[in-house]
Amino acid sequence: MNRLPLTAALSALLLLTGSPLAQTAAPQAFAPLVTSAGVRQTILSNGLTVLTKEVRGAPVVSVQVFYKIGSRNEAPGVNGIAHQLEHMMFKGTVDRPVQFGRLLGALGADFNAFTSYDQTAYHETVQREKAGAVLALEADRMVQAQIDEGKLAGERKVVLSEIEGDENDPQYRLSRAVQAAAFPTSPYGLTVGGTRKDIEGFSADKVKAYYQKYYSPEYATLVIVGDFQTSAMLAEVQKYFGGLGKPGTKPVTTSVPLVGTHSEATLGSPAAKAPIVLKEPGATPLLSAVYPLPDINHPDTAALKVLDFVLLSGRTSKLYTALFESGLAAGGGTSPNQFLNGGWYEVNFTPAPGKTVEQLDAALLGAIADVRQHPVSAVDVRQAITQIRASEVLGNVSVDAQAGSLGMDATTAGDYRYTDRLLAALTRVTPADVQRVAQKYLADGSRTVGYFQPTAAQAGAGGSAPTTATQEAFNAGPAVDPAEVARYLPAFPAPGSASVTLPEQLKLPNGLTVFLLRDAGTPTVALSASVRAGREFDTDAGAGLVDLVAGNLLSGTTTRSAVALSRLLDGVGAQLSPSASRFGVSIGGASLSADLPTLIEGLSDILQHATFPADQFKLTQARAIQAVKQADDSPGSVAQKVFRKTVYPAGNPWQVFSTQATLAGLTQADLSAFYRAHYRPDTTVITLVGNFDPTNVKALLTQKFGSWQASGPAPSVNYPVISKPAGIVRANPPLPGKTQAVTYLGYQSIDRADPRYYASLVLNQVLGGDTLSSRLGTELRDKQGLTYGVSSGFSAGRVAGPFIVSMQTNPADTEKAVQAALSLIGKVRDEGLSETEVSTAKNTLTSQFTVGLSNPAALASTFTSFYSDGLPLDELRLYSQKVGAVTLAQVNAAAKSLLDPQNIVVVTAGPPSAK
């Protein structure tokens, strides 16, 4: 195993941080890992559980409220009521009759909510001075939410639209059928989002009764993580929440269902013996299976977690070898889902072109049987444990992630320290444990399996499927003037001025640019690299080449095979993820601070020595072809492709998209030639943000990249100047069998250097930058109920990109929605915006800017992208100032010059009736 021994890892940490560390652990022992250090639990007299954790580094605070109710509390007849109530919690309160998305948006919060099996949660991350205001809003809607028939009717349409959106995806439909068959008498067999029949049957009284039963302090866990003083924050919590509920109430341990139901436990449910076969419209065959598992607190949970990583966590894992390396699978994954009263192991895979689900299933069963019959190696088990531990640390660097983890642990496992217990238990898992749980839970007879077999598309086909949590885009309610919103905002101190600490810049003699920013508050390092080798270099004849090159960077080098690369990184839990975009290939990465040398070694190897082995190329080529086939069945993907090809003429880089034919025509030699020409130090930038010693890291980077050389001028791309369309140009690519349509409206617009750029940011924020508070969201969603989601944006980068409005609609409503959008764009252009709208938008943008840069990974990515776009990093320091300087006159002038509803491309992809 190519993992650094602990002593070597500690030595590396000394090298990178320059800090003395006592080397007391045995070389092969896992060091103790505690994630809940610094967490304080407080129980108010009304039963509210409060978890606080002070985290310095960024001036932000995450406030999250978890209620111990979810779809686990439901039964047929009330399926989806928790999700429906979640939507109603944004409809305003008795004291604040304003859509709460508007209030949170005005605070510049990064916010959302979700419903899962064991909980419903609401989360906001804001500037630290606004944390008290968020507490006031959460306390208000805990007890005073307005739920009446009028508001419920409007939000019912939004929830039903959400379900219709799921129905477009065959994977959802298959998963729902398998889940229902696997757990026919358990709430865990229900869909989290609910069923159309049940949702249509909810009355305001029924939803309100559910609200009054469960939304009270004793059912809630309030989590606050970020930059604050605990004593002062607890005083704020007492101020807003202390008077709610009844004194002397104890926290609820386990919430009971609203109505009677069968056993909640899933383990031991009878499995369907024959595969469920769905023959419905779709692009590709699919396989989905579930195996019942015990609850999250079961002693076998740690071994099951290790088993999952042994089965599928990298190129050396069992299922990767059996399914992907064999060429049988084009995509898919596994997941152990364990909840309060049960769980399941879920597997979903897509066959590669020319392969069948039956072939794929046979290989899947064979690989799992091998783990049941033969102990896995100690090396594999140790590597899995290392990856899990590292991913736990790397995934919880930001304050919102830490708060979310604490809340999930407290409500699903009943203990906010659950992750610490799991991490400790992981270190005791042995190969025998892994084999034992595989034999106990992954027997062939335990599973329920389903096959999706695509048929010729038929209009109206569809279904919905379960997910472990909903993802929301909330209805903003009737139009409200920003001044009215401000009237209901809780008071808060003026935030401090947003500031950004800029990194140190280093340029090697070969032209490689490096940015280094030390953050001693985290035991991790975030890496962001970019090479100017993006899709802009694709051609119509060879489209897809750029993505295949990026996708094969980890497939092997002159010094390491794909397996050796995987062992190098997986052995320490480090992460490297290359992906292509229009203007570059981005490589995101992360590691524990001690393992930064390994991360840099891997990055250096793939950027300089990739070889694109023929066998790996063929496998990734087949997967790419299958991905394009699936994209051609997605209304969103098709709408985007046709929109670009309509706006831009042939030969323009913006209109190039890969097809099955262009991908099939590419060769290994094509990849190698592109790599040699475009992967070069003078077009590469590397950013590191985290806990390291800059002097030592500079020496390491010089050592690893200093000999990398480029010859000749760097490749460049020409973007021809184009004009707007003459009149309204329409295209309607048909996709029969879909339940919703996706529409793109727009035309070529500005680049990042345009003097109107900052005015366009403010303009767009009001027009459609935020569905909850924008003009488009108010008009199309709330007043007319024509769309579930709508947004707008200017793709203003290094070169001019399009202005786009996108929305999803019921096919019957598409034309109304298009006309409403065009009318509103014209109204904003002709009449302009108000001073209050502009002022609110500016405050929102500057607040969101501060919150958005609080995550080290996001900060590293921002530094890299700014440099790649040709912008000075000092622009980050000036962002708030420049946004604040935008005037109403400038915004209205930008509206007149940038908005043009009379000359616009309108593309709708969906059922033939979506016109």
Side-chain angles (χ1 to χ4, degrees):
M1 179 171 58
N2 293 320
R3 180 180 182 272
L4 284 172
L6 184 61
T7 51
L10 290 171
S11 297
L13 184 59
L14 282 168
L15 165 71
L16 294 167
T17 65
S19 302
L21 291 174
Q23 300 181 29
T24 58
Q28 296 300 318
F30 285 105
L33 181 57
V34 178
T35 63
S36 63
V39 177
R40 175 175 172 180
Q41 178 174 276
T42 304
I43 309 294
L44 301 192
S45 65
N46 57 13
L48 178 69
T49 299
V50 184
L51 301 175
T52 53
K53 182 179 182 180
E54 297 181 14
V55 176
R56 309 301 177 200
V60 299
V61 174
S62 184
V63 176
Q64 306 192 14
V65 182
F66 287 74
Y67 292 93
K68 294 179 182 177
I69 55 113
S71 63
R72 181 187 65 82
N73 302 96
E74 299 171 0
V78 290
N79 185 204
I81 195 168
H83 181 218
Q84 181 69 76
L85 176 57
E86 175 208 322
H87 277 249
M88 296 303 297
M89 290 289 283
F90 283 81
K91 302 298 289 183
T93 67
V94 174
D95 290 342
R96 292 183 174 89
V98 180
Q99 213 281 342
F100 263 47
R102 297 181 182 279
L103 296 172
L104 294 169
L107 290 173
D110 178 6
F111 71 95
N112 211 320
F114 66 85
T115 303
S116 188
Y117 290 98
D118 296 333
Q119 60 276 116
T120 304
Y122 305 83
H123 50 96
E124 302 89 24
T125 301
V126 293
Q127 293 167 297
R128 61 188 168 202
E129 294 84 0
K130 299 175 181 177
V134 172
L135 291 174
L137 294 177
E138 288 293 0
D140 189 17
R141 66 176 171 181
M142 179 179 283
V143 295
Q144 293 201 99
Q146 287 186 327
I147 302 174
D148 57 41
E149 289 295 345
K151 288 182 170 58
L152 178 62
E155 209 60 32
R156 181 187 292 119
K157 288 185 65 177
V158 174
V159 173
L160 291 175
S161 179
E162 194 172 349
I163 292 176
E164 290 171 355
D166 288 341
E167 292 174 350
N168 277 346
D169 188 350
Q171 181 64 65
Y172 284 110
R173 307 202 296 267
L174 178 62
S175 295
R176 180 184 70 167
V178 171
Q179 194 81 7
F183 311 121
T185 61
S186 167
Y188 289 130
L190 302 174
T191 61
V192 174
T195 66
R196 175 177 290 275
K197 180 181 178 181
D198 286 357
I199 291 166
E200 289 177 339
F202 295 153
S203 66
D205 287 343
K206 182 178 287 188
V207 176
K208 192 169 185 178
Y210 195 82
Y211 169 69
Q212 292 174 335
K213 178 177 177 64
Y214 291 121
Y215 277 61
S216 56
E218 68 267 27
Y219 281 94
T221 298
L222 172 63
V223 187
I224 311 170
V225 177
D227 189 9
F228 58 83
Q229 295 292 335
T230 299
S231 57
M233 183 60 70
L234 288 175
E236 290 282 283
V237 171
Q238 181 64 39
K239 171 184 174 182
Y240 292 114
F241 288 90
L244 307 182
K246 298 178 181 179
T249 304
K250 294 182 179 180
V252 168
T253 302
T254 303
S255 57
V256 296
L258 182 64
V259 297
T261 184
H262 295 289
S263 170
E264 298 174 30
T266 59
L267 187 62
S269 298
K273 299 303 180 183
I276 297 166
V277 179
L278 293 187
K279 295 182 178 181
E280 297 178 354
T284 61
L286 302 167
L287 180 150
S288 181
V290 297
Y291 299 76
L293 294 182
D295 65 84
I296 194 169
N297 284 305
H298 193 278
D300 287 339
T301 296
L304 285 166
K305 186 81 170 176
V306 175
L307 171 63
D308 178 52
F309 270 67
V310 167
L311 284 174
L312 188 59
S313 61
R315 289 178 183 265
T316 60
S317 58
K318 304 297 184 182
L319 290 181
Y320 192 92
T321 300
L323 303 184
F324 292 99
E325 290 292 337
S326 68
L328 287 170
T334 64
S335 175
N337 301 299
Q338 292 178 266
F339 300 102
L340 180 64
N341 278 2
W344 57 91
Y345 190 67
E346 182 176 7
V347 297
N348 295 291
F349 290 100
T350 304
K355 306 299 181 182
T356 67
V357 288
E358 290 82 4
Q359 290 174 309
L360 187 64
D361 198 16
L364 171 67
L365 290 173
I368 293 176
D370 184 66
V371 176
R372 292 198 305 263
Q373 295 163 9
H374 305 100
V376 298
S377 72
V379 169
D380 287 342
V381 170
R382 184 176 181 83
Q383 178 172 289
I385 295 170
T386 299
Q387 288 179 273
I388 297 168
R389 284 162 53 90
S391 65
E392 189 62 42
V393 176
L394 296 174
N396 286 286
V397 175
S398 65
V399 295
D400 56 325
Q402 292 181 57
S405 180
L406 288 169
M408 293 296 287
D409 283 354
T411 50
T412 290
D415 181 4
Y416 74 88
R417 295 158 298 193
Y418 168 78
T419 294
D420 292 339
R421 292 194 285 110
L422 176 63
L423 290 171
L426 284 170
T427 65
R428 299 188 291 270
V429 173
T430 67
D433 292 328
V434 174
Q435 183 182 27
R436 176 182 57 80
V437 295
Q439 293 170 342
K440 184 176 181 180
Y441 300 107
L442 300 190
D444 293 350
S446 298
R447 72 173 190 158
T448 301
V449 64
Y451 300 159
F452 180 84
Q453 297 180 350
T455 63
Q458 298 175 358
S464 62
T467 59
T468 57
T470 58
Q471 298 295 322
E472 308 303 354
F474 288 102
N475 188 323
V480 178
D481 187 273
E484 184 74 359
V485 173
R487 188 162 73 91
Y488 293 109
L489 274 179
F492 56 86
S497 58
S499 62
V500 178
T501 301
L502 297 183
E504 179 183 359
Q505 181 175 349
L506 168 69
K507 187 173 286 283
L508 300 187
N510 59 10
L512 177 70
T513 300
V514 176
F515 294 107
L516 302 175
L517 181 63
R518 185 179 185 185
D519 177 3
T522 172
T524 66
V525 178
L527 179 149
S528 171
S530 178
V531 184
R532 188 173 177 186
R535 294 188 190 122
E536 63 180 352
F537 290 104
D538 266 342
T539 63
D540 285 315
L545 173 61
V546 167
D547 282 273
L548 277 179
V549 172
N552 276 278
L553 288 176
L554 288 162
S555 293
T557 68
T558 56
T559 58
R560 294 180 177 89
S561 66
V563 170
L565 274 170
S566 180
R567 287 289 189 190
L568 174 74
L569 297 168
D570 294 345
V572 296
Q575 304 166 0
L576 275 181
S577 302
S579 62
S581 62
R582 171 148 302 278
F583 299 114
V585 170
S586 299
I587 305 175
S591 75
L592 300 180
S593 296
D595 301 315
L596 180 55
T598 301
L599 186 67
I600 295 299
E601 173 65 26
L603 178 67
S604 170
D605 206 9
I606 67 174
L607 285 181
Q608 299 178 71
H609 308 128
T611 55
F612 310 100
D615 57 340
Q616 295 294 324
F617 161 66
K618 287 296 184 183
L619 291 172
T620 54
Q621 184 182 43
R623 293 172 202 155
I625 291 173
Q626 191 76 317
V628 166
K629 189 176 182 181
Q630 289 180 286
D632 287 342
D633 188 52
S634 165
S637 297
V638 172
Q640 181 189 50
K641 179 192 293 186
V642 175
F643 172 81
R644 292 272 182 85
K645 287 188 173 292
T646 305
V647 171
Y648 298 99
N652 190 294
W654 277 105
Q655 61 82 50
V656 178
F657 285 86
S658 60
T659 67
Q660 296 180 54
T662 60
L663 286 165
L666 295 171
T667 68
Q668 179 193 16
D670 294 329
L671 272 65
S672 295
F674 184 88
Y675 178 75
R676 288 193 301 270
H678 292 80
Y679 282 67
R680 40 192 293 149
D682 54 345
T683 62
T684 299
V685 55
I686 299 171
T687 301
L688 295 172
V689 175
N691 193 10
F692 53 81
D693 180 79
T695 300
N696 294 329
V697 170
K698 288 178 196 176
L700 180 63
L701 291 169
T702 301
Q703 175 192 350
K704 294 298 181 182
F705 291 97
S707 61
W708 188 15
Q709 297 298 322
S711 61
S716 61
V717 179
N718 177 43
Y719 283 83
V721 176
I722 69 167
S723 57
K724 290 180 183 177
I728 297 178
V729 179
R730 289 180 178 263
N732 297 93
L735 286 173
K738 299 302 179 183
T739 56
Q740 283 198 332
V742 174
T743 298
Y744 273 58
L745 306 89
Y747 40 74
Q748 174 74 330
S749 191
I750 62 174
D751 61 22
R752 180 64 173 77
D754 192 289
R756 297 167 292 181
Y757 173 75
Y758 283 98
S760 78
L761 287 181
V762 178
L763 167 65
N764 187 69
Q765 180 66 21
V766 178
L767 178 65
D770 182 343
T771 302
L772 293 173
S773 57
S774 69
R775 289 276 196 99
L776 283 168
T778 297
E779 184 64 30
L780 273 68
R781 288 187 47 162
D782 309 324
K783 285 187 176 180
Q784 300 191 45
L786 298 174
T787 176
Y788 170 62
V790 60
S791 63
S792 66
F794 292 90
S795 299
R798 180 164 45 82
V799 300
F803 164 73
I804 295 173
V805 174
S806 62
M807 56 188 173
Q808 63 184 66
T809 58
N810 184 290
D813 294 331
T814 299
E815 184 57 29
K816 285 183 180 179
V818 168
Q819 292 303 321
L822 294 176
S823 175
L824 180 60
I825 292 170
K827 183 176 182 180
V828 171
R829 178 197 61 188
D830 297 336
E831 299 178 9
L833 304 179
S834 70
E835 185 70 61
T836 305
E837 285 178 311
V838 169
S839 176
T840 301
K842 292 195 298 183
N843 289 333
T844 299
L845 288 169
T846 54
S847 297
Q848 290 175 341
F849 173 77
T850 301
V851 172
L853 294 182
S854 62
N855 186 330
L859 188 59
S861 178
T862 301
F863 291 149
T864 298
S865 63
F866 260 60
Y867 183 82
S868 298
D869 286 343
L871 298 169
L873 291 193
D874 196 52
E875 188 77 6
L876 285 167
R877 280 182 169 163
L878 299 175
Y879 176 90
S880 296
Q881 176 184 331
K882 289 188 174 183
V883 168
V886 172
T887 66
L888 174 64
Q890 289 171 331
V891 174
N892 287 337
K896 288 188 180 298
S897 62
L898 297 177
L899 301 182
D900 189 356
Q902 278 80 41
N903 299 286
I904 193 169
V905 170
V906 180
V907 175
T908 297
S913 60
K915 297 180 180 178

